Amino acid sequence: MQRLETDVLVIGGGSTGTGVARDAAMRGFRTVLVEKRDLTHGTTGRYHGLLHSGGRYVVKDPESAKECIAENRILRRIMPHSIEDTGGLFVITPWDDPAYGDQFRAACAACGVPCEEMPVAAALHLEPRLNPKIQRAFALPDGAADSFLATHANAESARAYGAEIRIYHEVTALLLRDGVVWGARIRDLVRDEEIEVEAAVIVNAAGAWAGRIARLAGCEVNVIPAKGVMVAMNHRLVNTVLNRCKLPADGDILVPIRTVCVIGTTDHKVPDPERYGIEPWEVTLLLEEGEKLVPGLAGARVLRAWAGVRPLYSEQATSDTRDVSRTYALLDHESRDAMRGFVTITGGKWTTYRQMAEVTLDAICRKLGVERPCRTHLEALPEPQEGKYYTLGAPLADIESAHHTAELLCECELVTQDRVERAVDAGAVTLDDVRRDVRLGMGPCQGGFCTYRAAGLLQERRKPDVRETNLALLDFLQERWKGLQAILWGAQLHQARLDELIYLGIMNADHLETGGRKSPLTDFYFQEDSGPPESQRAPAGRDPA
């Protein structure tokens, strides 16, 4: 068995985990991060992409609002390449209370969130598809964030400071002795090997799975898995983040992110963060609510539906997840559970991940009796275009300026062959890993034309047993299919039938030989959702063909 010794072991490869790893490495700690799947496979890679201004929480959850606006300003400075400065509008529709606007504006002022009321005509000029019957509009500094890119930038920075980032490494046990968590036993899921890591401090940053990790040390952490369903439209109906100006509820936000826009979200407790379905009523509700912001939205082409699971934290049991604060919690298990060497950081938002890492490392420094100040707010993350926000036209401009149009492997997302080659050579285990690295297969055809090309490239670069490449192709097709089942009507149904003809009718993909192989994610892709069989039906009133 391989054995490692480190100062800080981080469990979880989402935004918080990679943020903790970066902060720890920058403070000079030997750092190892382990993630049971790929980076961002959990909640970080499954949210709508909002850079919060804090406006959504100023009335009901002001502490969270203050955290958001503080970090909004820092993230714009240290990772502009991962952010599109869309701005945000909070609008009062005919279904909302006009008087809430005054309460909202006063709460923004109290929380330090910039808020400017603008004439309705100006708001409609800015966003022509916005409901013309809105009564008031407020401009706030919301934005859109690429959580995949940001997480990888954090991981790259952590590596540059000496951290080890190990994906597909699952914690199977925490090692305890005399009230101390001194290490962890970890399974390398790719090599099928066990590793024992001894650490001075172990950080549980496992998001919605934090409760499960804590139980390995005999500690109870009440993480409430709250499913949030989102629906992506196949193009940007708006270029500004739109919010309903009211207390947060289902379907009240529309986020333009990259080439699409996303209407979200629902908020419902689920028993298992790994197993949940997308119900027809959830999709219907989101489209109906989106129609109130942008008339005609429900009739536009729907690209995909998916869900992420929020890691809400509460010491008390609760029946309504909307009542749980969106702020974060750092749990010191030495003072809380008499278990030294173990802390849990949970809750929070993507926007506040850096601050969560900072308070975690501040606590670790105090535990270890050292003074090493945080510098993550001062030093920018690695980026290709220093100091520039992402803009929608930038990828196409890069392609055209470099004359790479003939090298596109994924036309929908403008992914070139060399980018896929770099992702494969960097160690992507599955084609879904490549998707998270370069956005392969995330456009309107949902992998219809790029999956077989990417599989061919995988075979060419690595020259594995062809059955492994077959497995990679089948896994990725199944992963894409899971997001289509709840929205199969209209143009996207036509696209799905075309993809079916390509892969089943021409390539006979369901008979490709895999030799019984499984990837670390095969069971996850092919597991049955907890949704009912009717989840494949079109919402009422929509033409199934």
Side-chain angles (χ1 to χ4, degrees), residues 89-98 117-139 242-245 289-295:
L89 288 177
F90 283 69
V91 299
I92 293 179
T93 73
W95 294 268
D96 306 323
D97 177 10
E117 184 163 8
M118 61 193 305
V120 168
L124 294 173
H125 179 75
L126 181 66
E127 285 298 342
R129 287 196 171 98
L130 185 58
N131 190 332
K133 296 182 180 178
I134 63 168
Q135 299 169 26
R136 301 179 73 177
F138 303 88
L242 299 185
N243 296 265
R244 296 269 294 278
C245 192
E289 292 300 304
E291 189 77 11
K292 296 173 182 175
L293 275 170
V294 175

Side-chain angles (χ1 to χ4, degrees), residues 474-491:
L474 293 173
D475 274 356
F476 192 57
L477 291 177
Q478 180 64 21
E479 191 280 333
R480 293 287 83 188
W481 169 246
K482 290 180 73 172
L484 293 170
Q485 296 175 62
I487 53 89
L488 280 181
W489 67 83

Side-chain angles (χ1 to χ4, degrees), residues 175-236:
L175 305 175
L176 318 177
R177 183 192 307 127
D178 300 329
V180 178
V181 183
W182 62 271
R185 186 165 294 121
I186 294 160
R187 191 86 194 162
D188 181 336
L189 300 176
V190 175
R191 295 178 178 80
D192 196 24
E193 297 173 352
E194 279 208 333
I195 302 170
E196 195 171 276
V197 180
E198 182 176 349
V201 179
I202 294 176
V203 179
N204 174 12
W209 294 262
R212 293 182 180 182
I213 294 296
R215 279 195 288 278
L216 296 177
C219 304
E220 279 301 320
V221 173
N222 187 32
V223 174
I224 305 166
K227 180 183 70 169
V229 174
M230 289 149 278
V231 173
M233 317 307 290
N234 87 315
H235 67 284
R236 288 170 61 134

Side-chain angles (χ1 to χ4, degrees), residues 357-417:
E358 180 178 347
V359 300
T360 302
L361 265 298
D362 286 349
I364 289 174
C365 285
R366 289 193 295 272
K367 282 182 172 297
L368 299 180
V370 297
E371 188 172 339
R372 300 179 185 179
C374 177
R375 294 186 293 113
T376 57
H377 59 301
L378 301 174
E379 186 172 317
L381 286 157
E383 58 176 302
Q385 292 180 303
E386 190 171 345
K388 294 181 179 178
Y389 285 125
Y390 168 83
T391 58
L392 179 59
L396 179 59
D398 288 344
I399 293 289
E400 291 182 334
S401 64
H403 304 291
H404 282 161
T405 51
E407 299 172 13
L408 287 176
L409 194 144
C410 171
E411 289 89 349
C412 298
E413 290 292 325
L414 299 177
V415 180
T416 55
Q417 179 174 327

Side-chain angles (χ1 to χ4, degrees), residues 21 110 118 158 170 173 194 325 355 408 427 437 490 505 515:
M118 61 193 305
E170 181 174 17
E194 279 208 333
S325 171
Q355 189 178 104
L408 287 176
D437 290 345

Side-chain angles (χ1 to χ4, degrees), residues 217-521:
C219 304
E220 279 301 320
V221 173
N222 187 32
V223 174
I224 305 166
K227 180 183 70 169
V229 174
M230 289 149 278
V231 173
M233 317 307 290
N234 87 315
H235 67 284
R236 288 170 61 134
L237 296 167
V238 297
N239 290 304
T240 308
V241 176
L242 299 185
N243 296 265
R244 296 269 294 278
C245 192
K246 61 174 187 171
L247 291 176
D250 292 350
D252 63 351
I253 182 169
L254 183 62
V255 181
I257 179 76
R258 294 281 175 163
T259 57
V260 304
C261 62
V262 177
I263 181 73
T265 65
T266 58
D267 191 344
H268 298 278
K269 183 178 178 180
V270 292
D272 186 338
E274 296 267 333
R275 297 177 65 86
Y276 48 80
I278 309 296
E279 307 292 342
W281 70 264
E282 293 173 309
V283 174
T284 301
L285 174 64
L286 291 174
L287 295 180
E288 288 176 350
E289 292 300 304
E291 189 77 11
K292 296 173 182 175
L293 275 170
V294 175
L297 178 144
R301 178 175 173 179
V302 180
L303 194 64
R304 185 176 183 82
W306 78 98
V309 178
R310 302 175 185 85
L312 302 180
Y313 172 72
S314 175
E315 286 286 357
Q316 307 296 326
T318 179
S319 58
D320 188 347
T321 50
R322 289 276 182 203
D323 289 337
V324 180
S325 171
R326 267 47 176 174
T327 190
Y328 58 82
L330 176 65
L331 308 179
D332 181 348
H333 294 288
E334 180 175 359
S335 57
R336 185 177 182 268
D337 305 297
M339 191 62 72
R340 286 191 289 135
F342 186 44
V343 298
T344 293
I345 179 73
T346 189
K349 313 290 297 178
W350 180 86
T351 302
T352 60
Y353 87 87
R354 192 213 61 83
Q355 189 178 104
M356 294 166 69
E358 180 178 347
V359 300
T360 302
L361 265 298
D362 286 349
I364 289 174
C365 285
R366 289 193 295 272
K367 282 182 172 297
L368 299 180
V370 297
E371 188 172 339
R372 300 179 185 179
C374 177
R375 294 186 293 113
T376 57
H377 59 301
L378 301 174
E379 186 172 317
L381 286 157
E383 58 176 302
Q385 292 180 303
E386 190 171 345
K388 294 181 179 178
Y389 285 125
Y390 168 83
T391 58
L392 179 59
L396 179 59
D398 288 344
I399 293 289
E400 291 182 334
S401 64
H403 304 291
H404 282 161
T405 51
E407 299 172 13
L408 287 176
L409 194 144
C410 171
E411 289 89 349
C412 298
E413 290 292 325
L414 299 177
V415 180
T416 55
Q417 179 174 327
D418 69 310
R419 290 179 63 202
V420 176
E421 288 174 348
R422 286 199 298 271
V424 170
D425 294 346
V429 175
T430 71
L431 289 180
D432 197 29
D433 297 349
V434 177
R435 174 185 69 84
R436 279 183 288 273
D437 290 345
V438 300
R439 303 186 67 81
L440 178 84
M442 295 178 70
C445 81
Q446 289 290 291
F449 296 102
C450 60
T451 301
Y452 61 83
R453 297 170 182 166
L457 198 60
L458 188 67
Q459 179 68 29
E460 183 179 295
R461 302 292 289 186
R462 292 188 177 163
K463 297 181 173 52
D465 185 316
V466 70
R467 292 173 294 186
E468 291 184 18
T469 302
N470 290 343
L471 174 62
L473 183 143
L474 293 173
D475 274 356
F476 192 57
L477 291 177
Q478 180 64 21
E479 191 280 333
R480 293 287 83 188
W481 169 246
K482 290 180 73 172
L484 293 170
Q485 296 175 62
I487 53 89
L488 280 181
W489 67 83
Q492 202 60 18
L493 175 58
H494 298 162
Q495 179 68 56
R497 289 304 308 273
L498 175 59
D499 295 349
E500 180 186 20
L501 287 171
I502 293 172
Y503 288 96
L504 299 184
I506 297 175
M507 297 180 63
N508 200 22
D510 54 345
H511 290 90
L512 289 175
E513 178 61 44
T514 64
R517 286 170 168 75
K518 285 186 176 181
S519 76
L521 286 171

